[in-house]
Each structure stands twice: as structure tokens, then as C-alpha cells.
Amino acid sequence: MPSRLILQCGMTKVMNDVFKTLHLSLLSVTILPLLSQVEPSCEFGDEERASLTTRIQNAGTEVVEAKAGGGSATLSMAYAGARFAFALLQAMNGAKNVVECSYVESDVTDLQFFSTPLRLGPNGVEENLGMGTLIDFEQEAL
């Protein structure tokens, strides 16, 4: 869905996987899309970045509005949970370099818990990969 949002916002750049650069939450203002870290990399102007960030933050609301009150965005949360569970099972069964985002106790911000990419292994979380280098726009939003 995030890749589709980027394309719907008039972007001509194609993204392979934006999920790993979205630090997600249930509360829209706490969603921080790290668009500076998408792969393959692409450049956004200030207005494009601000508009796209707001659109990503409000994607859940758009789903509810599109369903005209007849549902919610819980399917997206279920997908995220299943994706994490499958990744964890792969890592616990010996797959190497399995990385998935999750909301965990962390010291990457002043908050006790934060969603960041994690390297998973046979014992669960092997390493918190942090957020990487943030651009000014992302740092201010954080």
C-alpha cells in the first residue's frame, strides 16, 4: 500500500519496498515515514515530502472513509503482524539476515519503546538496527 500511495501522489519514481522505512503506529501523528531511506533511493522536494508524509500518516483514516464507516484498517495491522511472525519463524529456523520492523523496548530515542528495524535470529531479536541517518525534515518530525 505505501508504494501505491507514493505513485498516487503523482510520483513517477518506483519503490520496491517502503515498509522497512515506515515507523508505524496506530496514531497517525506518530507515524514517521523515513522517505530519505527508501530503496532504490529517490529525491523528494520539500512540498512533496510533506504532502506524502501526511498522506502516509492518514492512510488508515482513508481506509475507514473509503469503507464509509463499514470497517477499519485492521487488515493492514493483521498483515504487519503476520509478516513479522513469518520473518521471526524464518530467523528461528536458521535463515540469515532477516530484518523486520517492530515496536520494542529501545534506546534509539528518549521514548522507552519505539519501532525500528530489527535483525532477527534463532533467539529472537539479535540486533536493533536503529533508524539510520535522518534528514532534517525527519529529525524535526521525530
Side-chain angles (χ1 to χ4, degrees), residues 9 12 26 38 40 53 62 84 86 92 105 116 126 132-133 142:
C9 286
T12 57
L26 295 178
V38 296
T53 295
E62 285 188 29
F84 182 81
F86 287 132
M92 292 178 79
E105 191 164 13
T116 50
E126 299 284 331
T133 303
L142 182 63

Side-chain angles (χ1 to χ4, degrees), residues 7-106:
L7 295 175
Q8 287 176 349
C9 286
M11 306 299 165
T12 57
K13 304 149 186 114
V14 177
M15 308 294 173
N16 283 339
D17 185 2
V18 180
F19 280 105
K20 69 180 180 178
T21 59
L22 296 178
H23 294 266
L24 300 178
S25 160
L26 295 178
L27 183 59
S28 62
V29 296
T30 63
I31 296 171
L32 178 56
L34 301 181
L35 298 173
S36 66
Q37 297 179 20
V38 296
E39 293 177 5
S41 66
C42 62
E43 305 259 337
F44 297 101
D46 293 343
E47 286 182 27
E48 262 181 332
R49 184 178 296 105
S51 174
L52 187 52
T53 295
T54 300
R55 183 89 190 271
I56 291 169
Q57 289 174 327
N58 294 317
T61 302
E62 285 188 29
V63 170
V64 172
E65 289 173 356
K67 292 183 172 190
S72 68
T74 53
L75 186 57
S76 298
M77 291 180 275
Y79 173 77
R83 180 179 164 135
F84 182 81
F86 287 132
L88 184 57
L89 289 171
Q90 287 178 330
M92 292 178 79
N93 283 309
K96 303 290 183 205
N97 295 316
V98 177
V99 175
E100 197 62 52
C101 286
S102 188
Y103 185 71
V104 295
E105 191 164 13
S106 172

